[in-house]
Amino acid sequence: MILSLLYVILSGIALPVGGIQMQYLWRNQLGDVYSLGLGSAACLGAAAATMSGWCSLTVGSFICTLICTLICFFVTLKVSTQQLITFGILFGTFIGSLGTIVVTNAPNGDLLKKYYLWGAANFRLEGVTTSDIIFSLCLFAVGLAAALTQARRLSAHFCGECEIPNRDKALMLLAIMCLVTSCVSICGPIGFISLGIPNLSRLICSSTDIRKHYLISAAMGVGLLLVTFLVVQYANFGIYLPISATMAILALPLMALIFMKTNDKALS
């Protein structure tokens, strides 16, 4: 339970912080850590490892997300931000298709269930080793340190006060992926929080200082994920509730209300 709560907290910080960095880097509110195929790559690696047995589920997930990150790193050196977004969508679709092929050819139902339980991201940490934990914590530390170090520059870039060269964008992207991979490879992809929370933070705080959004997004991310985790664990009505689906159900009405109130203020 302690390790599960640890990764609830780490995921609640890593995913929203990575998401707000992507939005500032792309100057686009649709920026998301999964837009470049990271989630699909994590699923492909986990599926390949589970179905073949060549390594642990978390190691397979990490290897594949690392390959995805390196590919995006080199693509970022060559293309514009708009082209990168388009590439990321197409690349993610391609990786997702490979994952679908692997999963639909599962040797037996037990392996398919094992893969699904990881993908449901319910923080059970089944099959996770001590070395997996240590490595993921190192990735988290590197990603968070890079986020704090580059905060002023990202804020200036977002406001149009400076333009970050492609090489530096690629390095920032690599740091963001380290931050997110630290959680995704262990817990599985967790949707909604990396896109919804950063946008919610920008709705309730008009500041362009990304450091403020780090704090707001991390606080809301941890709070929302913790509530969802407790609901899934103790108020599940006797059925299996995946974290991502449950979180979207809990948070979407709140976000819709805030969006409507913000829109009303803008019109008045």
Side-chain angles (χ1 to χ4, degrees):
M1 178 61 79
I2 294 176
L3 276 179
S4 295
L5 288 174
L6 172 64
Y7 275 92
V8 167
I9 294 170
L10 292 186
S11 299
I13 296 171
L15 296 174
V17 168
I20 195 68
Q21 286 184 89
M22 292 292 270
Q23 292 184 8
Y24 269 56
L25 193 59
W26 291 1
R27 296 179 180 140
N28 191 320
Q29 68 181 35
L30 296 179
D32 179 44
V33 295
Y34 296 125
S35 300
L36 297 180
L38 178 62
S40 298
C43 290
L44 173 61
T50 303
M51 305 312 164
S52 67
W54 65 281
C55 67
S56 71
L57 184 148
T58 51
V59 170
S61 172
F62 173 75
I63 290 173
C64 208
T65 50
L66 178 61
I67 292 172
C68 171
T69 299
L70 292 175
I71 290 172
C72 292
F73 173 86
F74 288 112
V75 170
T76 305
L77 295 174
K78 303 293 184 180
V79 304
S80 66
T81 299
Q82 189 62 43
Q83 290 173 320
L84 179 63
I85 295 173
T86 303
F87 167 80
I89 294 172
L90 295 173
F91 185 56
T93 302
F94 169 74
I95 295 296
S97 299
L98 294 179
T100 300
I101 292 172
V102 172
V103 171
T104 51
N105 285 278
N108 58 66
D110 289 339
L111 291 178
L112 189 60
K113 182 179 179 180
K114 179 182 178 183
Y115 165 76
Y116 175 76
L117 290 176
W118 170 83
N122 277 29
F123 299 100
R124 295 189 174 186
L125 277 63
E126 295 178 2
V128 175
T129 65
T130 302
S131 57
D132 290 334
I133 298 294
I134 293 173
F135 190 52
S136 74
L137 292 177
C138 291
L139 287 174
F140 178 83
V142 169
L144 190 60
L148 296 173
T149 302
Q150 296 296 327
R152 289 182 181 274
R153 197 175 180 197
L154 270 174
S155 295
H157 170 77
F158 180 73
C159 294
E161 297 171 4
C162 71
E163 185 64 37
I164 297 177
N166 279 3
R167 184 191 65 179
D168 293 351
K169 284 183 181 178
L171 291 172
M172 288 183 184
L173 177 63
L174 191 61
I176 293 170
M177 293 306 186
C178 284
L179 185 66
V180 178
T181 302
S182 68
C183 299
V184 171
S185 62
I186 300 292
C187 308
I190 304 170
F192 185 87
I193 196 172
S194 65
L195 178 62
I197 291 299
N199 275 292
L200 186 56
S201 175
R202 291 172 60 191
L203 275 175
I204 64 178
C205 177
S206 58
S207 174
T208 56
D209 187 344
I210 198 172
R211 292 170 297 183
K212 294 182 179 179
H213 291 294
Y214 284 163
L215 292 173
I216 296 171
S217 294
M220 290 193 299
V222 171
L224 177 58
L225 205 48
L226 183 59
V227 169
T228 305
F229 176 72
L230 293 175
V231 168
V232 166
Q233 289 290 111
Y234 303 109
N236 52 29
F237 308 107
I239 61 175
Y240 187 87
L241 296 174
I243 283 283
S244 291
T246 307
M247 181 165 48
I249 292 171
L250 292 174
L252 197 57
L254 173 63
M255 289 199 64
L257 180 62
I258 294 175
F259 267 99
M260 287 188 290
K261 285 188 174 182
T262 305
N263 188 55
D264 289 342
K265 287 181 181 179
L267 294 175
S268 61

